[in-house]
Amino acid sequence: MELLRGRIRDYAWGSRTAIAGLQGRPVPSAGPEAELWLGAHPGAPASVDRAGRAVSLTDLLVAEPEHWLGERLVGRFGTRLPFLLKLLAADAPLSLQAHPDAEQARAGYAADVDRLNYVDPFHKPELLVALSEFDALCGFRDPEVSAAAIEAFGVPALAPVVAALRTGPAGLREAVRLLLSWPESERAGLVAEVLAARADGPDAELARALAADYPADPGVVVALLLHHVRLAPGEAIWMPAGNLHAYLRGTGVEIMAASDNVLRGGLTPKRVDVDELLRVLRFEVLGEPVVRAVPVAPGVVTWPVPVDDFALHRVALSAGDPEVRLALPGPRVVLCGAGTLTVDDGVGRVSLGPGQAAVGTAAGGPLLVGGAGEAYVATCGAC
């Protein structure tokens, strides 16, 4: 193992305290720090030290693919790391968004010569594990529940949306289409009417909170079609292809297939392609958005996902505990979430503090984790 230096993305919704505080840097940071990328995605590749020079992990994979990835992964994914590990800190809502499946991504990338929607030909399923209490919107809820929530605002203009939802899951597409196609000149008025209503309860609170940041965005109402979940630390949400979702606030560890394909559906000043989003979305009710950890060994848990691009394990150690041995093959990225830890793959031994990370190649042996703290270990599910 060797130290891995991640790249911080300064998106406007990021926190100025969470990542800096975890890493022991001055708080508040000079600007928003939204995500710490720990992978080889070309958008912000992490790096390792080579003779005092920072070398991109992407370049190392291309130069020595079988050493870093192993023959099996090279045959399956080529010379790229198939997963991307992130530390995410949201201090304001992210956009409502969805990601394409593998077939949609390949076709979209081939057709989208201007790269307006598709920046790579890969899918982007995601798993987020909460480090703090974490608020998110994830997946369509029962449309009857959504219809009642929207009807409670008493806004006559929303009657067609309510009527579409009353037809059941089949009406979800029409409800989303109506809202995202709302005339630009009438959007601020629609949100103002929603806010002027005397409705109360969690849905009204959510609408008011979102409208504070997006007072002329119909995504405020689209959000009422989704599950609003509040994760406790250690709980997770799984976001498969076609799942409409948005992070609202909190800090978490996120792992995903290494792609940056995002189709937005509101709560954003960025481009929204309604037709393409409607083509990608899966208009079905998500039964249970929260994923709970599954123990696999003393002090070790995982969150099973139905893809082979990635897997995530958490190791929790107390002072005096013996080292944990993880027989996880393939390249590994380890993030220290708390405490002080050592990680050793038989090739190199690294000490990590909070917010620091290490990377090891496929040539390494079983991973030994020691110390007192919490480690998040990212691997490929197909290794």
Side-chain angles (χ1 to χ4, degrees), residues 148-381:
I150 294 173
E151 192 171 44
F153 287 98
V155 178
L158 289 173
V161 176
V162 173
L165 293 171
R166 295 285 190 209
T167 66
L172 282 169
R173 173 185 291 272
E174 178 62 7
V176 173
R177 186 196 69 78
L178 285 169
L179 290 167
L180 295 186
S181 302
W182 211 269
E184 292 277 353
S185 61
E186 300 175 14
R187 293 183 172 189
L190 173 68
V191 175
E193 282 191 74
V194 169
L195 294 183
R198 295 185 177 180
D200 56 15
D203 290 305
E205 292 176 9
L206 174 63
R208 294 188 193 102
L210 295 176
D213 290 306
Y214 300 101
D217 193 322
V220 169
V221 184
V222 176
L224 303 179
L225 308 182
L226 307 178
H227 292 281
H228 182 195
V229 298
R230 178 160 292 166
L231 301 176
E235 292 183 329
I237 44 175
W238 160 243
M239 288 151 287
N243 176 65
L244 192 61
H245 64 277
Y247 301 142
L248 302 181
R249 194 173 301 273
T251 304
V253 173
E254 186 180 28
I255 188 168
M256 62 188 64
S259 169
D260 207 20
N261 285 323
V262 178
L263 294 162
R264 296 177 179 85
L267 305 181
T268 178
K270 296 181 180 179
R271 181 174 182 271
V272 175
D273 186 331
V274 176
D275 290 339
E276 187 63 16
L277 180 66
L278 291 175
R279 192 180 73 83
V280 165
L281 282 179
R282 293 180 179 174
F283 293 99
E284 54 194 36
V285 175
L286 182 64
E288 176 51 70
V290 177
V291 180
R292 290 172 176 82
V294 176
V296 294
V300 183
V301 300
T302 190
W303 297 264
V305 294
V307 295
D308 62 3
D309 305 75
F310 61 81
L312 184 68
H313 291 75
R314 184 188 68 206
V315 180
L317 292 170
S318 299
D321 285 348
E323 287 186 324
V324 169
R325 183 180 186 273
L326 296 176
L328 299 173
R332 291 158 290 197
V333 175
V334 181
L335 169 67
C336 178
T340 302
L341 300 168
T342 60
V343 289
D344 188 343
D345 64 353
V347 178
R349 185 178 181 90
V350 175
S351 294
L352 299 176
Q356 291 185 308
V359 64
T361 74
L367 187 66
L368 297 177
V369 183
E374 191 172 76
Y376 290 85
V377 183
T379 61
C380 174

